[in-house]
Amino acid sequence: MLPACNNCHKTPMPLHLLEQFPVQADAQMDAVDTALLEARRVAATTHVLSVDDDTSVRQMISDYLGENDIRVTALSRGQEIAEVMARETIDLVVLDLRLPGEDGMLIAKKLREEAPLLPIIMLTARQDEADRVMGLELGADDYITKPFSPRELLARIRALLRRSRSPQTVPDGLQKIRAYRFAGWELNVRLRRLISPKKDTIPLTNSDFNLLAAFLSAPQRVLSRDQLLGLTHLHNDEVYDRSIDTQVGRLRRKMRPPDAKVPLIRTERGAGYVFTAQVEVVR
């Protein structure tokens, strides 16, 4: 905190008077600048999906988060989620559980199955305690009751993103998953064993397994190299030499059937990689 003015305990001392405290003031201002730059950097890379049938709520969320440098895609129906997730990288979902003609609980359940690491905040009416309990049991990470303050929503989003982006390897998120199935393949998570459509066992290194699990946790979505590095923790001798590209190439060779028309892992130039197959989660 800056030194207080003698005449007012709440007002910081004018900057021209801080010359007598040069080292302390500079250090404090540098710390503030660093914190602000980091917050802006994280926000600028964040894409939130908001699903709510109320136009005013969607507009409020879009406007407020947008003012805080968070990109928002707002939808009125849960049926549109799959299309957006197929073409965009979504970092967090804000989902209203009371969508007309749709079961918000089933939407939340399906989101959790298809994207185990995706943070979900559900919106509920204040009196719907049963909905809150059920939503959390189905995999939502947090809830907020209507009506709500956009400032509170922003705080909860930031808290969830800090948790989801904290050091964590893919296996940490696989404790409740038995296997992934895709295009005739099966990855047995507990045995760390990959079975081909011809029932052959494909040997996987630890890095292979982590990378494949990262792709399977977010199928049909663009994952940047930085996201894959963070998810897989491929901090080895290759990390400064396009390690993700090297690992992806190795994994492709192990999973490339001779008659494949569409690669399981597609390169998105300038963006990253996409796992193209539909994925079934076995719990």
Side-chain angles (χ1 to χ4, degrees):
M1 182 179 295
L2 298 178
C5 171
N6 291 333
N7 297 323
C8 180
H9 294 292
K10 297 182 180 179
T11 303
M13 181 177 289
L15 291 178
H16 70 276
L17 296 180
L18 288 173
E19 295 177 356
Q20 57 185 304
F21 307 101
V23 176
Q24 179 183 3
D26 288 347
Q28 290 169 339
M29 293 178 70
D30 287 345
V32 171
D33 289 343
T34 300
L36 287 174
L37 286 173
E38 177 62 15
R40 288 170 182 168
R41 183 192 67 77
V42 172
T45 62
T46 299
H47 188 179
V48 168
L49 178 61
S50 170
V51 187
D52 199 299
D53 67 301
D54 189 322
T55 304
S56 63
V57 171
R58 293 199 307 274
Q59 191 65 51
M60 177 185 67
I61 292 176
S62 297
D63 290 346
Y64 191 80
L65 296 186
E67 291 170 0
N68 286 274
D69 300 318
I70 293 178
R71 181 184 172 195
V72 178
T73 295
L75 305 178
S76 61
R77 300 182 305 161
Q79 298 170 353
E80 300 170 333
I81 292 177
E83 180 182 349
V84 172
M85 302 258 311
R87 68 173 188 269
E88 302 279 1
T89 298
I90 301 298
D91 298 292
L92 183 143
V93 174
V94 180
L95 173 66
D96 183 4
L97 292 184
R98 292 290 186 174
L99 296 172
E102 299 181 273
D103 190 332
M105 295 296 180
L106 288 180
I107 294 173
K109 184 173 184 286
K110 185 176 180 181
L111 276 173
R112 179 53 66 233
E113 290 174 348
E114 295 180 351
L117 303 179
L118 179 66
I120 301 172
I121 296 178
M122 58 183 182
L123 302 180
T124 70
R126 189 171 300 277
Q127 67 272 19
D128 292 337
E129 181 181 355
D131 281 358
R132 296 198 296 272
V133 173
M134 181 64 72
L136 292 170
E137 288 180 348
L138 290 176
D141 299 279
D142 199 358
Y143 72 87
I144 189 168
T145 56
K146 291 183 175 182
F148 60 90
S149 158
R151 184 177 179 182
E152 179 186 0
L153 176 62
L154 176 62
R156 290 176 181 268
I157 287 173
R158 286 174 170 168
L160 271 180
L161 289 177
R162 281 195 300 270
R163 286 201 325 239
S164 68
R165 291 170 175 172
S166 63
Q168 176 180 354
T169 60
V170 168
D172 294 332
L174 298 179
Q175 296 177 3
K176 296 182 180 179
I177 296 175
R178 292 165 50 204
Y180 289 108
R181 292 173 183 161
F182 55 94
W185 295 76
E186 179 174 304
L187 177 66
N188 186 309
V189 172
R190 295 176 183 176
L191 298 180
R192 303 172 74 87
R193 180 182 298 165
L194 179 63
I195 307 298
S196 75
K198 295 182 179 180
K199 306 305 179 185
D200 296 326
T201 299
I202 309 300
L204 296 177
T205 65
N206 187 58
S207 295
D208 292 335
F209 174 82
N210 286 354
L211 180 59
L212 179 55
F215 278 123
L216 296 177
S217 71
Q220 301 175 337
R221 293 170 53 197
V222 177
L223 294 176
S224 69
R225 290 177 175 85
D226 285 343
Q227 285 176 310
L228 289 170
L229 272 172
L231 286 169
T232 58
H233 278 199
L234 293 177
H235 299 301
N236 51 37
D237 294 338
E238 301 171 324
V239 75
Y240 298 110
D241 187 23
R242 300 179 68 81
S243 64
I244 286 296
D245 296 342
T246 301
Q247 292 287 345
V248 169
R250 182 186 305 168
L251 190 59
R252 276 174 168 161
R253 289 190 292 274
K254 291 185 176 183
M255 299 175 59
R256 183 182 295 158
D259 56 346
K261 296 180 180 179
V262 179
L264 286 173
I265 303 173
R266 184 179 72 236
T267 301
E268 291 290 331
R269 188 175 298 276
Y273 297 97
V274 177
F275 193 84
T276 61
Q278 292 187 348
V279 177
E280 175 189 0
V281 179
V282 181
R283 298 184 184 276

